[in-house]
Amino acid sequence: MPSRVIRQLGRWWHTPVIRRWTLTVAFSVLGFGTALLWGSWARACLNNACPSVASVGGYDADQASKVYAADGRLVTDFGLQRRTVISLNQMSPAVIAAFLATEDKRFYRHHGIDWIRVLGAVKDMLIERRIAGGASTITMQLAGNLWPEEIDRSDRSFRRKLREAQVALELERTYPKDKILELYLNQIDLGNRAFGVEAAAQRYFGKSARDLNVAEAATLAALPKSPAYYNPRRHRLHSIERRNTIINLLRDNGYLTSDEAERWKAYPLILSNRSDFSEVAPYFTEYVRQLMEARFGSDLYTSGYRIHTTLDLDIQLAAERSLEAQLEAVEDGQYGPYHHETYAQYIQEKADKGDASQEGPTYSPYLQGISVVLEAKTGNILAMVGGRDFDDSKFNRTVNARRQPGSTFKPFVYSAALRAGHPLSEILVDEPISVPMGPTEPPWEPQNYDQTFRGPMSLRQALTMSDNIVTIRLGMEELGEQAVIAEATKFGITTKIPSVPSIHIGSADVQPLEMISAYTAFANLGERSVPNPILWVEDKDGNIVWRPQVQLKPVMDSDQAWLMVDVMRDVLRSPMGSAHQAWVNGNLDLPAAGKTGTTDDGADVWFIGYTPDLVAGIWMGLDKPERIKNGAVGGVLAAPAWMAMMKDIYQRRAVPKDPWPRPPDLTFAEIDRQSGERALPFCPTENRFVESYIPGTEPKTYCHLHAFNPVGGATPQYPGQH
């Protein structure tokens, strides 16, 4: 049958009239088609509808700015698109081979349009009556990726295809193949806001594109077909199936042997264990973002800065673990009944309401906390926890909150006293005090935390025990509010401090970061370091564009600072110290000092402590100030979290060997604890101790309480002393 048809067609073709008409119709159709195609080709770029490829030579792709921890580990990025541009020779050969085998195996043999693939697409359309994809070359895809507004790749029209083809041809005439391939591999959308192979390699595998193996490269090459469907985090099986298809393509195109292909298809899909950069130190990274935006503006999100921060990821994790564990212990009632809504209850209620993924109100109803760790000598912020749940509340309490510091403010009062010539052995009396507040207000009658009065005590004892009354007497009667305000200002407190008697025990609101960093002046024996989260910032080419300098502010001389450190060490090591029990329970073997803090209403509890190289602070409270619980004090609630954090940190950090050397010009004298005067041989042994002094402030008199009594009379005592 077919042979008869062919013979019949042959007779028709040899008939002159039929042959002439057939050729006429064929050439007419061909001419008409050519004219139509030429017209469409010409109209595709009329009125500058196609972009100019001349701009590609200076093309600078939008790149997210990368944020790195102090050890170089990537923490997060800032940008609408995650992209880091690298050169072609910095990419793993497996990456280049995988994308060429998948997207355009004849890339180095065509001039922008792969006519073999075009004819294959036409065949599919005419014979199989389906519109086939896959005819776009890498150069054509690049044209659409570079100019998405002029060449919308979601547009399936013939005109868009012609426009894309014209731009591809122009790109190929203007730029070398390697340049086009490099642009493509840095521009391609690979899902999860990762654009380009370097950002995707970091996103999925936690490594650079230069270090990807064949299986990992094939996993990335699987994504352009459908970034969502082949997302290895969401659809592992789809990703592996597509990856193995690409490994077969690498085999078929001669990049791999059959044995190699089988081995790589058996390779497990191993993703980085961090699924979302925003989970790491979110309050710190948001703080950095705000600072960088203020400096670089909108360029921060497009110019590919590399921001090297002071963040120590190990210390950050230690801070997060210890704070959350202590907050949970308080809410669970381990320190006595807790009557507020707990974090667990709050999250469960959100889940029950179906809004667990939504950000909560600025002020959360559950117990909050902050933790900050600073490098004493530089002010570098090594860790920052601004709250319990960044997704629920992005309010950073370390820098945006204003809270009463309670007794953590008292060291400023005692520092001012030393500056004014008051020695730590000076005796003041802890007894009831009534301060007139005005004709229409009742007098202010402050109390100690335990509602008791202890009689005469030295300034050293008062600060060690965190006695309120002696501190108020010292500030009001010996120094004055203005002297204390001036002292706090020297320590870096910038919030307004009203001139009222209660400021001496910490009634004025402060910024927590300022309050914690003030203690660097003690740790450094006189110099305060300004908090800083940035080591340096470089542009995408590696040029350093900003390197903040360490800022050290002189606060006091070394004699005064050493005396403050010595008495604040007693807060931990002395049995009467307000944090002694937490120190003992924490079983720390560190040279350390610090101060507890509790407000009168129990709404704020603190512990700020330091070693010679680190300063760290813990705060706990409710966002809307309210008593945390009955008996809430910093030494019981906040100090244990500090102890646990420092123990964790110093398991990986050398303990300072020469803590706070004593300045050589300090003097010393043996003192009677009861009188504050120089001890006599007749003073009880248990009353004697050696106190250090700034020269010229030593007591001039000897103990009048234990002077020689020849008849053996009783030693006189101050009323109320015990």
Side-chain angles (χ1 to χ4, degrees), residues 166-453:
Q166 286 194 51
V167 174
L169 291 174
E170 186 66 22
L171 282 170
E172 294 267 357
R173 285 193 294 268
T174 309
Y175 301 105
K177 284 285 189 180
D178 284 354
K179 174 69 173 179
I180 292 170
L181 182 58
E182 179 182 291
L183 282 170
Y184 170 80
L185 291 174
N186 280 304
Q187 191 73 20
I188 189 71
D189 180 2
L190 296 174
N192 283 288
R193 291 178 41 241
F195 289 77
V197 294
E198 176 67 10
Q202 295 283 1
R203 174 68 180 85
Y204 296 113
F205 302 110
K207 62 174 71 172
S208 172
R210 65 172 60 88
D211 300 320
L212 295 182
N213 60 37
V214 171
E216 293 163 343
T219 300
L220 295 192
L223 289 164
K225 184 174 183 179
S226 178
Y229 187 76
Y230 295 113
N231 182 335
R233 293 200 182 278
R234 294 176 179 268
H235 305 291
R236 291 180 63 88
L237 294 179
H238 297 166
S239 175
I240 292 171
E241 182 180 2
R242 175 72 176 159
R243 177 201 71 179
N244 291 347
T245 297
I246 291 170
I247 291 173
N248 287 337
L249 289 175
L250 287 168
R251 177 201 60 202
D252 296 344
N253 284 275
Y255 294 108
L256 298 174
T257 65
S258 295
D259 289 343
E260 289 172 335
E262 293 306 310
R263 285 199 301 270
W264 285 117
K265 284 193 289 184
Y267 190 84
L269 177 60
I270 304 173
L271 303 175
S272 64
N273 58 12
R274 191 171 63 216
S275 63
D276 188 1
F277 294 137
S278 66
E279 294 177 1
V280 178
Y283 289 100
F284 176 84
T285 56
E286 174 59 14
Y287 177 55
V288 167
R289 186 196 67 78
Q290 293 174 10
L291 293 177
M292 294 297 94
E293 187 180 73
R295 175 168 287 272
F296 297 111
S298 60
D299 286 350
L300 174 67
Y301 308 106
T302 59
S303 296
Y305 293 112
R306 299 166 191 167
I307 304 164
H308 297 266
T309 73
T310 59
L311 183 69
D312 185 309
L313 290 174
D314 293 328
I315 293 180
Q316 175 71 26
L317 290 174
E320 292 176 357
R321 283 192 296 261
S322 60
L323 179 63
E324 183 58 30
Q326 185 67 4
L327 290 168
E328 289 180 358
V330 174
E331 289 183 332
D332 289 345
Q334 295 182 28
Y335 293 88
Y338 180 80
H339 301 295
H340 301 288
E341 183 175 14
T342 69
Y343 174 69
Q345 290 168 341
Y346 172 81
I347 293 300
Q348 186 59 55
E349 288 174 6
K350 284 189 70 175
D352 293 342
K353 294 176 182 177
D355 59 355
S357 63
Q358 298 180 14
E359 182 180 350
T362 301
Y363 297 107
S364 59
Y366 48 86
L367 185 62
Q368 281 288 358
I370 69 165
S371 181
V372 175
V373 182
L374 305 172
E375 189 173 54
K377 291 179 172 55
T378 63
N380 288 346
I381 301 174
L382 306 182
M384 175 186 283
V385 184
R388 292 181 76 172
D389 186 339
F390 184 77
D391 290 334
D392 181 61
S393 172
K394 294 178 172 54
F395 182 66
N396 188 342
R397 294 153 188 85
T398 63
V399 292
N400 297 323
R402 299 293 182 268
R403 305 295 298 214
Q404 291 184 6
S407 295
T408 58
F409 190 88
K410 289 177 182 176
F412 305 152
V413 180
Y414 289 83
S415 176
L418 287 173
R419 192 186 301 276
H422 296 268
L424 291 174
S425 60
E426 183 175 323
I427 299 293
L428 292 178
V429 182
D430 178 12
E431 62 185 7
I433 184 174
S434 181
V435 182
M437 298 302 294
T440 61
E441 297 182 33
W444 181 49
E445 297 181 345
Q447 301 286 322
N448 290 314
Y449 169 75
D450 58 5
Q451 305 292 307
T452 64
F453 300 97

Side-chain angles (χ1 to χ4, degrees), residues 645-666:
M645 175 176 67
M646 298 303 278
K647 188 170 187 177
D648 193 343
I649 290 171
Y650 277 99
Q651 287 179 348
R652 296 174 296 276
R653 190 181 185 94
V655 176
K657 294 182 179 179
D658 186 22
W660 301 299
R662 176 189 170 94
D665 54 340
L666 282 177

Side-chain angles (χ1 to χ4, degrees), residues 526-542:
E527 286 188 314
R528 174 177 63 87
S529 56
V530 177
N532 169 52
I534 305 297
L535 293 175
W536 74 88
V537 180
E538 58 192 23
D539 62 21
K540 63 180 181 297
D541 297 319

Side-chain angles (χ1 to χ4, degrees), residues 130-149:
R130 64 181 178 89
I131 299 176
S136 292
T137 62
I138 279 178
T139 315
M140 293 169 72
Q141 292 180 52
L142 176 62
N145 292 337
L146 288 178
W147 296 287
E149 294 184 2

